[in-house]
Amino acid sequence: MKQKFDEPRVAINRVYTRLGDAGETSLAGGQRVPKDSRRIEAYGTVDELNAFVGLARETAAGDATVAELSAIMLRVQHELFNLGSILATLPEDVHPRQARVTEAEVSQLESEMDRANAGLPVLRSFVLPGGSRLNAELHICRTVCRRAERIVSALAREEPVPPEAVKYLNRLSDAFFVWSRWASYLSGAPETLWEPNRAASANIPSGGTLSE
């Protein structure tokens, strides 16, 4: 059964309010909390991730070979905003139809990863970000997503957090890794494999230094 959330009921006609000048902000339920609190950091990092996903979406939109990724990124942006909504709300203030991430979003990520990964060559080494702009941007999304996951996990040890929130971020970070490889595969861009002996130390003669 499909999950129907309430439509937004906002009217933004003024951006600044001066209410945050003392270092506090409001949660969805109206509670005033410090701007550096764990909950604010959690949905703030999700917001940061959303911005990077938007960048990757625009890059993908400019290349017909990866156009499908652009549509996926747009959906993920909506899901991240839903996640931010639930993280910005204390459990006692959550409405039954309030936007959130659910098991459906987790399952969708898993099916998309399986489909994309099925056609990719087996990795024989770790990969480095790069080879194309979109690949690098998706790796940025992956690392920011991991940070968001760590922060939300820490929040969950202190306050009640829907378990789907952590699960979604965990799957999403994996998905960004698969999508980065898929983007390179679809566009024909080379993958950059990790080569330990490409480091500067590998070029130092035995018993010598680079400066000799």
Side-chain angles (χ1 to χ4, degrees):
M1 185 176 68
K2 291 184 177 180
Q3 174 74 55
K4 290 293 186 180
F5 301 127
D6 287 333
E7 293 294 328
R9 288 175 289 182
V10 296
I12 303 173
N13 52 23
R14 181 178 173 182
V15 176
Y16 68 90
T17 64
R18 300 192 179 97
L19 296 176
D21 292 350
E24 291 187 342
T25 191
S26 296
L27 297 177
Q31 300 89 347
R32 300 292 291 175
V33 296
K35 287 188 174 183
D36 60 352
S37 69
R38 186 91 70 181
R39 186 170 289 275
I40 303 302
E41 188 176 6
Y43 70 76
T45 307
V46 169
D47 185 35
E48 178 186 353
L49 172 59
N50 205 332
F52 280 115
V53 176
L55 180 62
R57 173 167 66 91
E58 290 304 308
T59 300
D63 184 348
T65 64
V66 292
E68 184 178 354
L69 267 173
S70 180
I72 291 174
M73 293 300 104
L74 178 58
R75 191 199 75 236
V76 168
Q77 285 191 278
H78 288 293
E79 292 171 355
L80 287 172
F81 217 97
N82 289 355
L83 175 59
S85 169
I86 207 69
L87 290 175
T89 309
L90 294 180
E92 58 268 26
D93 295 322
V94 172
H95 300 292
R97 293 181 60 189
Q98 182 172 339
R100 69 195 71 194
V101 291
T102 71
E103 286 291 340
E105 282 72 40
V106 175
S107 296
Q108 180 68 22
L109 291 175
E110 291 175 348
S111 65
E112 286 171 342
M113 276 191 283
D114 291 341
R115 181 169 63 88
N117 203 44
L120 298 179
V122 176
L123 276 178
R124 303 298 182 186
S125 176
F126 293 105
V127 293
L128 305 180
S132 73
R133 183 181 182 90
L134 180 57
N135 177 286
E137 289 171 352
L138 289 169
H139 274 286
I140 291 174
C141 292
R142 173 183 61 80
T143 58
V144 176
C145 189
R146 285 295 188 201
R147 175 155 51 88
E149 180 189 0
R150 293 193 296 270
I151 296 170
V152 174
S153 296
L155 174 64
R157 289 196 297 270
E158 301 172 356
E159 304 178 36
V161 170
E164 295 83 5
V166 178
K167 184 182 292 188
Y168 176 80
L169 290 170
N170 182 269
R171 293 299 186 285
L172 183 59
S173 57
D174 290 337
F176 282 128
F177 177 77
V178 174
W179 289 332
S180 71
R181 298 197 65 216
W182 193 39
S184 295
Y185 175 76
L186 292 175
S187 64
E191 289 192 287
T192 307
L193 299 180
W194 173 47
E195 300 177 44
N197 291 315
R198 290 287 294 273
S201 58
N203 297 317
I204 300 176
S206 179
T209 65
L210 281 175
S211 59
E212 289 183 338

